[in-house]
Amino acid sequence: MAHGHGHGAGGGCCGAEREEPPERRGLAWGLYLRIDRERLQCLNERREGSGALVFRAWEERADRSQFVESDDEVELLFNIPFKNIPHMSFDDTAREPDQMFSLNRDLTGELEYPTKIARFSNVYHLSIHISKNFGAETTKIFYIGLKGEWTEAYRHEVTICNYEASANPADHKIDQIMPETHFIS
């Protein structure tokens, strides 16, 4: 999104934040609505298009009928576009990530992983690399929630400005009222 939107992809588990009531908790997890699903890519998925199914409403996190499963190995790589930014490949996973998480089993989809806020403000594209699992031959994911705030795109058109080092009075003609001066002698 040539949009300035900031989101902490993942969680925002911070002691200073107050806990939302259960009926409002899912509202913060609405970034799945801003994903460009036509360009979302999940590498190594067994069933084509199934990677997009795990990004859904927080209230639907317990739905076990929609999932993505890795093909013949454990790795999955999600390329989640919010704007047209190049996608990662498995060759790119050797680079140091912006953030790594040590994941825990989460059967209810309620664990949050705090992100480094400075690294995840104004995100246009997010890649998630799942490099291993808990010992199974393939990896199966049922839900990924993206928590954060969305800001609409703001596009500033080109502005042409001329700056003068010193003003040329001939360029700035102003009809001035000449004050009349009265002399008394």
Side-chain angles (χ1 to χ4, degrees), residues 38-63:
E38 291 179 18
R39 292 193 345 250
L40 185 138
Q41 182 184 47
C42 181
L43 302 180
N44 204 34
E45 62 188 358
R46 179 169 293 197
R47 193 178 69 226
E48 188 173 336
S50 61
L53 301 176
V54 301
F55 298 95
R56 56 184 184 270
W58 186 83
E59 295 80 9
E60 298 172 17
R61 72 191 181 285
D63 180 357

Side-chain angles (χ1 to χ4, degrees), residues 3-184:
H3 68 279
H5 77 273
H7 32 96
C13 232
C14 169
E17 293 182 23
R18 64 167 211 255
E19 185 71 23
E20 290 287 334
E23 65 274 6
R24 294 188 41 83
R25 188 169 180 206
L27 297 176
W29 297 88
L31 287 177
Y32 74 96
L33 295 169
R34 304 300 183 171
I35 294 172
D36 184 346
R37 291 184 180 274
E38 291 179 18
R39 292 193 345 250
L40 185 138
Q41 182 184 47
C42 181
L43 302 180
N44 204 34
E45 62 188 358
R46 179 169 293 197
R47 193 178 69 226
E48 188 173 336
S50 61
L53 301 176
V54 301
F55 298 95
R56 56 184 184 270
W58 186 83
E59 295 80 9
E60 298 172 17
R61 72 191 181 285
D63 180 357
R64 309 294 273 180
S65 66
Q66 298 183 57
F67 60 89
V68 61
E69 184 173 10
S70 62
D71 203 353
D72 296 324
E73 54 190 76
V74 298
E75 282 189 285
L76 286 170
L77 178 60
F78 293 92
N79 285 301
I80 307 157
F82 296 100
K83 181 181 165 43
N84 191 15
I85 300 292
H87 287 39
M88 280 183 72
S89 69
F90 281 111
D91 294 335
D92 298 320
T93 62
R95 292 185 356 217
E96 184 171 340
D98 288 319
Q99 185 159 1
M100 273 181 82
F101 297 106
S102 179
L103 301 180
N104 297 305
R105 287 184 186 267
D106 181 14
L107 300 178
T108 60
E110 293 188 21
L111 286 179
E112 296 182 25
Y113 297 92
T115 58
K116 299 173 185 172
I117 293 173
R119 296 277 195 151
F120 292 99
S121 61
N122 295 320
V123 172
Y124 303 102
H125 174 90
L126 179 66
S127 293
I128 300 173
H129 177 224
I130 311 292
S131 61
K132 57 186 175 181
N133 62 25
F134 297 101
E137 289 185 23
T138 62
T139 300
K140 190 182 274 190
I141 297 174
F142 292 93
Y143 172 76
I144 295 176
L146 300 177
K147 183 178 183 180
E149 297 175 12
W150 169 267
T151 306
E152 281 297 326
Y154 174 74
R155 182 181 169 104
H156 180 74
E157 299 297 325
V158 174
T159 304
I160 299 174
C161 298
N162 292 323
Y163 295 95
E164 300 175 6
S166 63
N168 180 353
D171 292 340
H172 305 282
K173 295 184 180 185
I174 300 174
D175 293 331
Q176 291 184 350
I177 300 173
M178 297 303 266
E180 291 183 29
T181 307
H182 299 278
F183 291 100
I184 299 174

